[in-house]
Amino acid sequence: MAKFDIREIKGVIPAMITPFNQDEELDEKKTRDLVEFLINKKVNGLYIGGSTGEGFLMDIDERKKLTEIVCNQVNGRIPVIVHVGNIGTKMSIDIAKHAHENGADAISSVPPFYWRFDNESIFNYYKDISESTPLPMIVYNVPLAGLMGLDMIYKLAEIENVKGIKYTATNHFEIRLIKAQLGEDFMVYSGSDEMAISGLLHHSDGLIGSFYSMLPDLFIKIYESMENKEIESAKDYQLMAVDIIMTSLKYDYYAAIKLGLSWMGLDVGSVRRPFKALTDAQKEQYKNDLLEIKGKYDFTCDLLEAIN
């Protein structure tokens, strides 16, 4: 059973990477260790099985197993949002029902992709999934799957269990428009890591992003600084985060995130092909780039503190 109401799901929520072993198989111990690491860093929730979690490279049984492991390890301490998205509605419903049965607090999904589905098909996709469980649905508006306009977002919000949106577009003034149109209880999560401050300034309820797996402490500082109206501090932390993100984006950044975690003492394995692990030369260059960033600031973060 869900432990948290959707209105309680706020703050810094990592879109969690998925640990695999050297044979590219889901690694239960590494996954449990990562969950504990993030909870100990005081994150406010977990978003699992999405694109950052390499969910579309996993089969249905693997995605279900990931949900079981994470929900069991979390054990109600923080909210868990399970990404159930797939091209096919039937498969997404299967994952959604399983998430509900295993104690997830919310589900989320990208719109159906690859084929150019029209708005009616997209609406029915979300309606069918949302009606399959009592869990709140968080719609995922992301460029990779095709951004939806405000009219479509407002239409989806008419579905009873659609209670929020993960908003990864960069025109953040629309966050305020969504809140004004749909009310404060419709949750909006800013999904652009590089623009966390902007999302919060435009009244997002929280942050869901890839780099929070590797930089939880830095984004918690951003969030808390914004909560305390310490804008200059938040700006400084955001600038460091952007520097680290842009350096990581030179590579398959899921691999860079996993490498960064390994430098922090957490073995989360590598990525699944066709994503590429960093070569030894790339690892050295990445480390040197991060050391250069470290030298720019009079404060640090756990990742930069861990490398030398």
Side-chain angles (χ1 to χ4, degrees), residues 12 38 41-44 215-225:
V12 177
L38 292 170
K41 294 296 181 183
K42 309 299 184 187
V43 300
N44 303 109
L215 303 169
D217 57 311
L218 191 53
F219 280 94
I220 287 170
K221 287 177 181 177
I222 291 171
Y223 186 83
E224 291 178 346
S225 294

Side-chain angles (χ1 to χ4, degrees), residues 84-301:
V84 303
N86 213 309
I87 301 177
T89 304
K90 186 175 186 295
M91 291 182 286
S92 294
I93 287 174
D94 186 19
I95 301 170
K97 287 181 175 180
H98 178 269
H100 175 239
E101 292 165 359
N102 282 273
D105 298 284
I107 55 176
S108 182
S109 180
V110 296
F113 53 92
Y114 186 75
W115 289 288
R116 294 184 181 276
F117 293 102
D118 61 20
N119 284 348
E120 181 182 5
S121 297
I122 293 171
F123 179 87
N124 289 335
Y125 171 84
Y126 280 110
K127 184 175 185 292
D128 290 342
I129 300 169
S130 297
E131 290 177 349
S132 72
T133 84
L135 291 177
M137 162 65 80
I138 300 169
V139 173
Y140 189 178
N141 206 29
V142 59
L144 284 171
L147 289 173
M148 295 176 280
L150 285 175
D151 288 346
M152 186 61 187
I153 293 169
Y154 298 157
K155 181 69 175 174
L156 291 172
E158 296 174 5
I159 299 170
E160 183 175 357
N161 275 355
V162 171
K163 301 296 185 182
I165 185 167
K166 183 178 185 291
Y167 188 88
T168 308
T170 55
N171 45 342
H172 281 177
F173 71 92
E174 289 192 352
I175 293 175
R176 302 190 78 161
L177 298 179
I178 292 168
K179 297 294 281 190
Q181 176 73 20
L182 300 178
E184 288 302 310
D185 286 344
F186 188 85
M187 308 299 284
V188 182
Y189 303 96
S190 178
S192 297
D193 301 10
E194 303 92 325
M195 300 178 68
I197 289 177
S198 174
L200 294 170
L201 280 172
H202 287 87
H203 297 179
S204 69
D205 297 288
L207 308 169
I208 301 177
S210 304
F211 282 91
Y212 311 160
S213 284
M214 184 173 74
L215 303 169
D217 57 311
L218 191 53
F219 280 94
I220 287 170
K221 287 177 181 177
I222 291 171
Y223 186 83
E224 291 178 346
S225 294
M226 293 297 292
E227 287 281 286
N228 295 329
K229 297 181 169 50
E230 298 168 352
I231 304 298
E232 287 301 313
S233 293
K235 182 184 73 174
D236 290 341
Y237 297 136
Q238 181 74 79
L239 288 172
M240 175 181 277
V242 169
D243 281 347
I244 294 171
I245 290 168
M246 297 312 294
T247 292
S248 303
L249 290 177
K250 295 176 184 177
Y251 314 99
D252 280 355
Y253 68 89
Y254 305 150
I257 290 171
K258 291 183 176 184
L259 177 60
L261 284 165
S262 75
W263 287 335
M264 296 161 71
L266 194 70
D267 178 10
V268 291
S270 189
V271 287
R272 263 193 176 170
R273 292 169 295 174
F275 290 121
K276 305 183 298 297
L278 279 70
T279 65
D280 289 343
Q282 288 173 329
K283 290 176 184 179
E284 190 64 26
Q285 183 61 56
Y286 185 39
K287 180 178 287 189
N288 289 337
D289 289 345
L290 291 175
L291 287 171
E292 185 175 332
I293 293 170
K294 184 177 181 179
K296 289 175 56 177
Y297 297 90
D298 59 5
F299 59 91
T300 189
C301 67

Side-chain angles (χ1 to χ4, degrees), residues 16-83:
M16 198 179 86
I17 58 98
T18 300
F20 299 113
N21 63 24
Q22 62 184 5
D23 297 319
E24 301 185 34
E25 299 297 328
L26 177 63
D27 192 303
E28 179 169 349
K29 182 183 185 304
K30 289 178 171 61
T31 302
R32 291 183 182 276
D33 289 346
L34 176 59
V35 169
E36 283 304 307
F37 170 84
L38 292 170
I39 290 177
N40 289 336
K41 294 296 181 183
K42 309 299 184 187
V43 300
N44 303 109
L46 296 173
Y47 185 102
I48 68 169
S51 50
T52 304
E54 300 172 72
F56 296 118
L57 303 183
M58 300 166 68
D59 64 32
I60 303 300
D61 288 341
E62 289 175 316
R63 291 174 69 175
K64 288 180 178 180
K65 184 63 176 177
L66 175 66
T67 296
E68 292 168 12
I69 294 168
V70 172
C71 288
N72 176 266
Q73 189 66 30
V74 168
N75 194 26
R77 289 176 287 174
I78 57 175
V80 177
I81 305 166
V82 177
H83 177 261

